[in-house]
Amino acid sequence: MVSPTIIVHGGAGDWPKSKQAAGLSGVRQAATRGFRLLQQGESSIQAVEAAVLEMEDNPVFNAGSGSTLNLVGRVEADAGIMDGKTRRGAGVALLRRTKNPVSLARLVMGRTDHVLLAGKSAERLGEAFGLPKVNLRLPERVYQWKQAKRRLAKGFHGNLSRNLKLIRSKGQSILGDTVGALAIDQNGDFAAADSTGGVSLKLPGRIGDSPILGAGLYADNRIGAATATGVGEIAMRFVVSKSACDAMEGLTAQQAASQTVKRVTKLAGRGLGIVTLDRKARYGVAHNTRHLCWASLTKKRGLVSQIHG
Ligand code: GLY
């Protein structure tokens, strides 16, 4: 029997001192919730969904009810989930009112033949299955959006490459975080899940890496699991989660995470974080952003958490 392990992250970027305690407490709670399920003999899919759902309900994170706003002040949230045993997975995108996008992704994976659903029709499916809908537009995010729009008015005229330049130059106030979780259960089955409000001031209709298998997340029982955070365009262009999983065929989780981030930094610059979990239940964390907030929980090492800088 494998020793169950979970690792979760609350996003790469700039974690200001004022938010670090809340971020750490949030990832610890999420890891604890997922791990409890693993200890009760539940599957890794159950554990990663529960851990991500916990972070979606915590407004300190840019996901679910903490989602950042796009250029026109709307939430368009994305999420993904993948089962390493069946190598089935699904993503959902452009959600405005679904309280827990990760649960809708699980529904798409488990109940449909599709891999990616977006917008109103995706939300209607969730509604048909009784998934709760809420107003995801938090007053704090509206305030941040207004500030970001003011900066935009002072000299930035949007298209995607300039959006990214702005994101890089203005750090946390603009950079999109993501939450994610990876787990291996007592049967040795892997799972990955993630969720995000995306990048602040993104163009309406923009979809990031989080719902895209291979980019935002990947899980394969033969190798391990990985999930990405940071600028989704980079994660998609370099298919970073699949790439990190492929690297674990010969490397440890930490070596694979570090190598992936190093390679992508050379090709695309900064803006990426990655978390990995290998067949020996070892985890890896690497990023080229200022911080990455994460927590892991195993029977042997207990709860470990860090705002990695
Ligand atoms: N990684 C989150 C996003 O770019 O949407």
Side-chain angles (χ1 to χ4, degrees), residues 228-242:
T229 165
V231 179
E233 281 70 15
I234 296 177
M236 287 187 277
R237 284 167 57 207
F238 298 96
V239 204
V240 295
S241 293
K242 175 69 163 69

Side-chain angles (χ1 to χ4, degrees), residues 62 78 176-178 196-199 202 206-211 228-233 235-236:
N62 173 16
D78 303 337
D177 301 326
T178 307
T196 187
V199 179
K202 61 189 180 180
R206 177 266 193 189
I207 297 173
D209 59 309
S210 302
T229 165
V231 179
E233 281 70 15
M236 287 187 277

Side-chain angles (χ1 to χ4, degrees), residues 11 24 92 142 174 179 183 203 207 280:
L24 277 175
V92 287
V142 174
I174 309 240
V179 302
L203 296 178
I207 297 173
K280 292 193 176 159

Side-chain angles (χ1 to χ4, degrees), residues 67-194:
S67 289
T68 194
L69 306 185
N70 70 8
L71 195 62
V72 297
R74 292 214 176 95
V75 167
E76 287 188 327
D78 303 337
I81 196 159
M82 185 159 181
D83 178 347
K85 184 178 176 188
T86 58
R87 287 173 289 280
R88 278 181 182 272
V92 287
L94 305 177
L95 306 181
R96 293 204 178 149
R97 296 184 58 80
T98 301
K99 178 171 169 282
N100 294 110
V102 70
S103 298
L104 183 52
R106 182 154 182 211
L107 204 150
V108 173
M109 176 179 81
R111 309 294 283 259
T112 80
D113 294 322
H114 302 304
V115 169
L116 185 59
L117 279 191
K120 278 191 192 144
S121 305
E123 297 208 283
R124 248 180 251 133
L125 179 77
E127 221 173 325
F129 280 89
L131 293 188
K133 285 170 104 178
V134 290
N135 177 13
L136 294 173
R137 220 165 159 266
L138 279 194
E140 190 194 331
R141 297 300 186 202
V142 174
Y143 172 74
Q144 287 168 341
W145 172 72
K146 285 185 178 155
Q147 283 188 319
K149 284 280 280 191
R150 267 196 284 278
R151 278 195 295 271
L152 198 67
K154 280 188 192 154
F156 168 75
H157 316 279
N159 64 26
L160 190 59
S161 63
R162 283 182 287 183
N163 282 356
L164 289 177
K165 227 183 256 167
L166 187 74
I167 287 158
R168 288 191 187 114
S169 67
K170 299 293 180 192
Q172 164 65 22
S173 57
I174 309 240
L175 183 66
D177 301 326
T178 307
V179 302
L182 306 175
I184 181 167
D185 60 30
Q186 63 183 25
N187 298 321
D189 292 332
F190 283 91
D194 61 10

